[in-house]
Amino acid sequence: MPDIRTRQVNKGTIKSLDKVATSADRMRATYTKTKERTESMRESDDNSPASYATERISNAMDTGSRESISVSEKATRVLVSNAKVKIKERRISNGYSATAEASVKTAEETATIKTRGFANKRQMTRRISNAKATNATRQYANDMLVLTAEERMRKAAKEVAKETKNAVRVSAKAIKVAIASTESLVKAITAGGWITIIAIVVCCLFGAAFYMFGDESSGNYTPVSAQVEAYSAVIGEYADKYGIGEYAELIKAVMMQESGGKGKDPMQASESGYNKKYPRKPGSIRDPEYSISCGVQKVVASLKASKCKSPLDMSRIRLALQGYNFGNDYISWAIKRDGGYTVENALIFSDQQAKKHGWTFYGDKQYPAHVLRYYPYGSYNYGVGNGVITKVATQQLGNKGGHKFWSWYGFNGRVEWCACFVSWCANQCGYIKSGTITKFAAVQSGISWFKSKGQWQRPGYRPKSGDIIFFDWDGDNNADHVGIVKSCNGRTITTIEGNSGDICRRRTYTVGGAVIYGYGVPKY
């Protein structure tokens, strides 16, 4: 395409066009640098499993980056072409009618570019139908008519630049995550063999597609903080030293849960038996590297006690993680009792130890879930489930008077304790600490919290186990009772409620029944 002369056009327009014209070049440069970094991480043996997996990941990034660059280049070429036509028309015509006619055409083409060029297929499918796209195009044209020619061009150029910049940001972020994980993946593949290769490649391809095209709100994985990432080299060094180099990402997830990478003892290893340098009391370690050394040794011991086979052996990783938090006595106890980790046996062990030592609580009952949300290979498979809270609630059936619940909440005398009961059960599961469910004693406070989180459903909703059900007995549009959904078969809802006639008991209701006010739907 020949150069477009823009000397007679306003300087602001020139800058906009220049910015658009260079967007694709920036994307290409980003892609090239990323590819070079990935290439440099490959091992010399091209036939090794590690090299094979790295090649697959690199090829996937190549394809995605080229497609992103192609979209940007196409959009840029069309916009600049339209701008050239517009400039020419302004030079040969002083009549507003000609300018307006060209403006409509330019606006329609620009809007078409926006709907067809910038959104990927899945985004377009979710956001708009073909009919809505047509209406959007017409509306865009109408809006553009009221602007001057110079303003139209500047607005279109800025919109293309903005969309291109967003595309670059998303692509670069996804590629950066892939690069950061490559080294750990290579180690995991080497340790696990061809079965691990297949599993990891499938996980990576699925995860990449979900990250690029999925709904962020439905994802469970949360990247570790910048403070934790800053320790990557040290973590890798000690993981290699103690023979678990392939578990570096898991160690990062543990650090993220323990401290977020902050403080002098980021692995919270001061009370560990591997701490031989400082007093074994909370926060005594004053050297982050020493903390990592102690913490990694503790992870090693837990993985070995759990007989963990690979970074994808999620059932044994859960067992090891709960052992890291409770101590390895839990691991042998859980294996003997249930063959391994379960949410229920973690609750039982915690309660037993708290009673034995005379403490109010013992450890983190949901530690595996809390750690695995930061673990990229297990974030879609940590199996906490929404039935945990119902197990806790079931154990309280028959409790009369609710003293256990309202006194725990902090009341000195009896209150209407249905909400205290729900909060107590949530706390026993670790859901209040994790922010899954709020602590509330007033029914309306619970409703307001769920609504503020976008986790509210109307009375006609078909609930799931673990949902929080709210009732309006008087039909005055004011909720006055709350319970926990145990199950729903499509027609009948079974609940467990505290303060149902001053007793904790089971109740049943019809889906969509008149007394149901609505549901809080926690993201377990």
Side-chain angles (χ1 to χ4, degrees):
M1 181 184 293
D3 293 337
I4 301 175
R5 297 180 181 178
T6 58
R7 293 181 180 177
Q8 298 181 13
V9 184
N10 181 278
K11 291 182 179 180
T13 305
I14 295 174
K15 290 180 180 179
S16 297
L17 292 174
D18 289 342
K19 184 176 180 181
V20 174
T22 58
S23 295
D25 290 337
R26 292 197 186 101
M27 285 190 71
R28 189 178 296 281
T30 300
Y31 157 71
T32 302
K33 290 179 181 178
T34 302
K35 183 177 179 183
E36 288 173 353
R37 288 177 62 191
T38 306
E39 292 285 352
S40 68
M41 297 172 69
R42 297 179 180 170
E43 296 184 7
S44 58
D45 183 1
D46 292 336
N47 295 319
S48 69
S51 179
Y52 171 79
T54 305
E55 180 69 26
R56 291 292 301 274
I57 296 168
S58 179
N59 289 342
M61 290 192 298
D62 287 350
T63 301
S65 298
R66 283 196 295 270
E67 290 177 354
S68 297
I69 291 170
S70 176
V71 169
S72 178
E73 287 178 334
K74 288 178 181 179
T76 302
R77 284 197 298 270
V78 175
L79 181 62
V80 172
S81 176
N82 289 338
K84 181 179 178 181
V85 171
K86 187 60 197 165
I87 292 167
K88 183 176 180 181
E89 289 178 351
R90 289 191 65 195
R91 289 175 177 173
I92 64 176
S93 175
N94 292 323
Y96 179 79
S97 60
T99 301
E101 182 179 354
S103 299
V104 173
K105 182 178 180 181
T106 301
E108 289 178 341
E109 290 175 348
T110 302
T112 302
I113 294 168
K114 286 171 66 61
T115 57
R116 295 180 182 174
F118 296 143
N120 56 59
K121 292 181 180 179
R122 289 187 62 182
Q123 289 173 325
M124 281 191 66
T125 302
R126 289 201 307 264
R127 292 179 181 177
I128 55 175
S129 63
N130 292 332
K132 287 183 179 179
T134 302
N135 291 335
T137 302
R138 291 173 179 170
Q139 183 62 47
Y140 192 87
N142 291 334
D143 292 342
M144 295 291 273
L145 276 174
V146 302
L147 304 174
T148 66
E150 201 170 275
E151 289 173 334
R152 285 193 298 271
M153 290 175 61
R154 186 179 295 110
K155 182 177 180 180
K158 284 183 178 179
E159 288 174 347
V160 172
K162 180 179 178 181
E163 296 289 348
T164 303
K165 183 177 181 180
N166 288 338
V168 172
R169 185 183 298 113
V170 172
S171 298
K173 185 176 180 181
I175 294 169
K176 182 178 179 181
V177 170
I179 291 171
S181 299
T182 299
E183 185 175 354
S184 294
L185 285 172
V186 167
K187 291 176 181 176
I189 289 167
T190 302
W194 284 99
I195 297 299
T196 304
I197 290 176
I198 295 171
I200 289 180
V201 168
V202 170
C203 286
C204 287
L205 292 176
F206 173 79
F210 186 87
Y211 179 86
M212 293 293 290
F213 308 116
D215 181 0
E216 288 184 9
S217 65
S218 62
N220 290 317
Y221 173 59
T222 301
V224 298
S225 66
Q227 291 94 327
V228 172
E229 284 292 355
Y231 286 117
S232 293
V234 180
I235 288 172
E237 177 185 345
Y238 283 100
D240 288 338
K241 178 179 178 179
Y242 295 112
I244 58 167
E246 67 271 26
Y247 290 90
E249 294 299 322
L250 182 65
I251 297 169
K252 288 182 185 178
V254 170
M255 180 187 286
M256 184 64 189
Q257 174 60 25
E258 292 292 338
S259 69
K262 300 176 181 178
K264 300 293 185 180
D265 184 15
M267 292 296 288
Q268 297 294 292
S270 293
E271 297 176 87
S272 164
Y274 298 97
N275 172 22
K276 303 182 185 303
K277 185 177 178 181
Y278 297 89
R280 289 180 185 172
K281 59 182 182 179
S284 66
I285 291 179
R286 308 304 297 165
D287 178 357
E289 184 170 340
Y290 186 72
S291 172
I292 291 170
S293 174
C294 295
V296 169
Q297 291 179 75
K298 190 176 177 183
V299 171
V300 170
S302 296
L303 290 172
K304 286 183 177 179
S306 302
K307 299 180 180 180
C308 195
K309 296 179 180 179
S310 79
L312 299 178
D313 187 359
M314 297 310 302
S315 62
R316 290 185 176 88
I317 283 178
R318 293 190 195 98
L319 177 63
L321 289 173
Q322 194 65 75
Y324 182 92
N325 182 255
F326 282 167
N328 282 3
D329 287 346
Y330 162 78
I331 295 176
S332 56
W333 176 87
I335 291 174
K336 182 178 180 180
R337 183 182 189 275
D338 298 309
Y341 168 84
T342 68
V343 173
E344 183 178 9
N345 71 34
L347 299 176
I348 292 172
F349 186 85
S350 176
D351 290 342
Q352 288 178 351
Q353 293 300 310
K355 184 177 180 180
K356 177 181 177 180
H357 295 286
W359 300 336
T360 55
F361 66 92
Y362 181 86
D364 181 350
K365 299 175 182 180
Q366 290 290 316
Y367 192 75
H370 295 156
V371 171
L372 290 175
R373 57 186 166 174
Y374 305 117
Y375 186 52
Y377 313 146
S379 59
Y380 297 100
N381 185 34
Y382 53 66
V384 178
N386 52 2
V388 179
I389 194 171
T390 64
K391 293 180 181 179
V392 173
T394 300
Q395 295 172 358
Q396 306 306 315
L397 288 171
N399 181 291
K400 186 175 182 179
H403 179 273
K404 180 178 184 177
F405 312 115
W406 53 257
S407 62
W408 162 82
Y409 200 95
F411 293 105
N412 295 323
R414 186 194 180 283
V415 296
E416 299 301 330
W417 49 275
C418 58
C420 293
F421 167 73
V422 171
S423 295
W424 183 90
C425 292
N427 184 66
Q428 291 294 300
C429 300
Y431 293 147
I432 291 178
K433 181 178 180 181
S434 66
T436 305
I437 299 176
T438 189
K439 181 179 180 180
F440 66 105
V443 173
Q444 190 57 49
S445 295
I447 293 172
S448 298
W449 186 85
F450 281 113
K451 286 184 175 180
S452 72
K453 297 292 183 180
Q455 298 172 26
W456 179 256
Q457 292 289 345
R458 295 173 180 270
Y461 162 76
R462 192 167 109 177
K464 305 183 298 295
S465 175
D467 286 347
I468 309 302
I469 182 170
F470 293 85
F471 300 92
D472 175 11
W473 299 133
D474 304 325
D476 60 357
N477 203 33
N478 289 308
D480 39 36
H481 186 62
V482 63
I484 299 169
V485 175
K486 180 173 176 57
S487 63
C488 177
N489 63 10
R491 293 175 298 175
T492 303
I493 305 165
T494 300
T495 66
I496 300 176
E497 302 166 28
N499 197 29
S500 178
D502 206 31
I503 298 175
C504 181
R505 66 176 70 188
R506 284 191 181 90
R507 298 289 300 271
T508 58
Y509 305 88
T510 302
V511 172
V515 297
I516 298 174
Y517 184 82
Y519 301 89
V521 184
K523 291 186 176 180
Y524 292 107

